[in-house]
Amino acid sequence: MSVVVLGRNGQVARSLRERLPDALFLGREQLDLEDLEGIEDRIVAERPSFIINAAAYTAVDKAEEDVERAWRVNAHAVKAVAAAARSLAVPLLHLSTDYVFSGKGFAPYGEADPPEPLSQYGGSKLAGEREVLAGSGACHYVLRTSWVFSEFGSNFVRTMLELGATRDSLRIVADQYGRPTYAGDVADVVAAMLARWQAGHPLESGCYHFASEGVTSWYQFALAIFEDAGNLGLIERLPLVEPIATADYPTPAPRPLRSVLDTRRLESALSWQPRPWREGLGTALNALVATPRSPGHSDEAPGATRSASPPPAALPMKRSTSATAQAEERFLVFGAPQIEEEDIAEVVACLRSGWLGTGPRVAQFEAAFRAYRGAQHAVAVNSCSAALHVSLLASGLEPGDEVITSAMTFCATVNAIVHAGLVPVLADIDPVTMNLDPADVRKKLTARTRALLPVHFAGRPCDMRALCVIADQHELKVIEDCAHAIEATFDGQAVGTFGEAGCFSFYVTKNITTGEGGMVLLKDAAAQARIKTLALNGLSKDAWNRFGADGYAHYDVMESGFKYNMTDMAAALGLRQLGRIEASWQRRQAIWEQYQQAFADLPVTRPAEPDANMRHAYHLFPILVEEAHCGLSRDRFIALMTARGVGVGVHYRSLPEHPYFRRRFGWQPENYPHASHIGRSTVSLPLSAGMSGEDVARVIAAVVEIVSPAAAVRSSM
């Protein structure tokens, strides 16, 4: 079998050369796509059994002037390529772009969404797509991707490195959002599609979307480039990067503001999980370290202009001694959120829009979070407590039904069960994982048990395999409390998608924050509709529908509901936080690993490492401080940490320790020995993506200074 690839030196073509060494690559010297009359004959002469078109005119701004050339290469030449494929009756795979969309919508674009290009480049690429889909015959594929970068050629990453090496400051557009995608990952997908065809199991003809995991802005992308390049030594100093609006950086070709691609169709067809774009960035930068090149300039860098007078303090890469001294003096707040300039800019933009309540940003946040977790439906609410409450109400449970949950969780978990008219039943936790113990769950089953409410404590997934077996055997509903576990997976499946509902928290201390907020993920459309009604006073229409541009719409009160809806101001913050969730996860993972190593020889119990079949969300780093081992009590340890300027948390005292629950349900701590023991000795150390290396060092130093002397005194007694 012979494969012909049109294009040789572009980013994806270069990457394909490494993956398809036996393919014939036709660059401009071998096949000039501007010579329309010779294209079909040249391809047919090679007698390929599979054609990949990775060639294109990609100068977005120049295309506004050089219209004829852009359309000749991106549309008319593609028509000739499609004719060659039809003549040979062979498959054609054509690469395209997210710029076929306007970016005016809030939800990620699926393959069936109507294109609306804003530029000549986007229009010419769309015309080429239509030639492939209508005129190529046999199998034909259009593979759209977005914000492609690599170590090769001209692209945003290499442009940023070039400008960052020569300029003191840069101004980068912060209100355009997409999914940066490493060219090598695109090449991997192309190779996988080819392999499926070779194996006799080709994908269905048509259009597919592929992009790396995660949504970000050009501004945040630039910050990540400089951070990672600085750590690798690719750039000697970090320029000041300032966010600007698209309106402040006019370009000949308008860009889509939100060209986020929905990639679920391809992921399902290939059983493919895109890796985070930050990982692809690391691959590209490491390749540049291994084979240094002079970064080339690209027309595709949106808004890279010199600042007139950058503040000198922004120029050095390392902090000054005085800055370090100031950091040592300030109190390190436990769970302080990481708030970036793009977060502030998006909230300000929301305020200026005039739409502050539930509206377009909430809809966009729901769609983005649903896509991130791979769920079918999502409803944004104003807290995880609200999410749990309405999920239980919408689950079909009857008053008096029993719900089994963890004995060590925040009181909101049980409060939601009580407010739903149900009966909470506690099961003890596993002393190693600190999660709900399936064996004890079985002991607590009764004839009235109707649901399980597992809590993914500290970000570690529960044993969902065992719990789902119990649920299936006894026909129980499963409502997941995922307040700590936004990024977590178990057996490759996102937590929050195992049962009827998954409830998430965006409280200020959580892995992403909306100030206050929550989300429900659901499998059932009817449950989604009821939760939307319950969350807005039982109304049949929310404010977005009632007060939209189409005019006022009357509503009906369907049932007695609650005021649980999320606001657009909260969603504005959440959208930007979600865009860098993977980078934040990587930072918390690094801090977790530093803590594990630093405390390995101390007489404290460290959290268990995640099993191979799970992804830990690294929300909390709880240690057990036991006087018998350390020589001081947990509360004394907390007082000493606070005296050193380090805030800590307690997650949690077991629920039977609280007077109300003892009075109401007769729960006694001794009946839940693991939860009670851990709840009396647990301390959570700071674990935030916003922590600097100095912050982490302060925490480690404080723990070592406090525990080591106390343990030494204890051992000498």
Side-chain angles (χ1 to χ4, degrees), residues 336-344 513 573 577 580 690:
Q338 184 182 30
I339 302 297
E340 303 287 356
E341 288 300 320
E342 68 165 359
D343 300 332
I344 297 170
T513 185
L573 178 56
Q577 295 259 317
R580 57 176 185 273

Side-chain angles (χ1 to χ4, degrees), residues 64-300:
E64 297 299 304
E65 299 178 357
D66 200 359
V67 177
E68 181 180 354
R69 188 179 177 205
W71 279 77
R72 179 183 293 267
V73 174
N74 290 343
H76 308 320
V78 176
K79 181 178 181 179
V81 175
R86 182 176 63 252
S87 174
L88 294 166
V90 300
L92 169 60
L93 193 161
H94 173 73
L95 292 171
S96 192
T97 174
D98 58 323
Y99 277 34
V100 300
F101 295 112
S102 68
K104 298 175 183 177
F106 291 96
Y109 285 101
E111 290 85 351
D113 288 326
E116 186 184 355
L118 302 177
S119 63
Q120 292 294 335
Y121 168 71
S124 65
K125 290 295 291 182
L126 177 60
E129 289 184 7
R130 288 171 172 166
E131 296 292 353
V132 172
L133 297 175
S136 58
C139 289
H140 49 259
Y141 307 106
V142 169
L143 182 64
R144 292 176 182 147
T145 188
S146 63
W147 292 24
V148 177
F149 66 90
S150 68
E151 63 271 28
F152 306 123
S154 297
N155 60 77
F156 186 71
V157 171
R158 289 172 60 84
T159 297
M160 288 297 99
L161 293 177
E162 178 188 66
L163 296 178
T166 58
R167 299 187 181 186
D168 293 332
S169 65
L170 301 170
R171 302 170 67 222
I172 306 296
V173 168
D175 59 354
Q176 294 175 20
Y177 300 95
R179 294 174 64 172
T181 306
Y182 178 55
D185 293 345
V186 179
D188 285 338
V189 166
V190 171
M193 295 174 73
L194 172 61
R196 283 284 298 270
W197 181 81
Q198 291 173 321
H201 304 289
L203 300 189
E204 180 183 356
S205 293
C207 182
Y208 293 87
H209 289 176
F210 174 74
S212 295
E213 183 179 351
V215 177
T216 193
S217 66
W218 289 113
Y219 166 71
Q220 196 65 35
F221 191 13
L223 292 181
I225 291 167
F226 290 126
E227 178 183 352
D228 292 358
N231 291 335
L232 291 170
L234 277 172
I235 189 168
E236 294 182 358
R237 63 177 186 175
L238 298 181
L240 175 67
V241 182
E242 300 180 49
I244 60 172
T246 297
D248 297 328
Y249 186 75
T251 56
R255 265 68 168 178
L257 292 181
R258 296 177 180 86
S259 58
V260 178
L261 298 179
D262 186 332
T263 59
R264 288 179 295 170
R265 183 188 184 203
L266 184 68
E267 291 172 26
S268 176
L270 288 179
S271 297
W272 193 284
Q273 178 60 49
R275 64 173 176 163
W277 65 264
R278 193 73 180 257
E279 289 185 14
L281 175 60
T283 301
L285 294 177
N286 277 290
L288 289 174
V289 171
T291 310
R293 299 178 177 88
S294 175
H297 182 72
S298 168
D299 295 318
E300 305 308 307

Side-chain angles (χ1 to χ4, degrees), residues 439-454:
D440 203 48
V441 169
R442 286 191 179 276
K443 296 177 183 178
K444 301 302 171 67
L445 294 169
T446 73
R448 296 198 60 81
T449 305
R450 294 291 182 272
L452 304 181
L453 206 166

Side-chain angles (χ1 to χ4, degrees), residues 670-711:
E670 58 268 23
N671 294 329
Y672 310 92
H674 298 313
S676 297
H677 171 72
I678 291 172
R680 292 166 182 169
S681 54
T682 186
V683 181
S684 298
L685 301 180
L687 183 63
S688 168
M691 293 174 66
S692 66
E694 295 167 357
D695 294 335
V696 177
R698 286 181 62 197
V699 175
I700 292 172
V703 173
V704 172
E705 289 170 5
I706 293 169
V707 173
S708 295

Side-chain angles (χ1 to χ4, degrees), residues 56 574 594 697 716:
Q594 284 182 267
S716 66

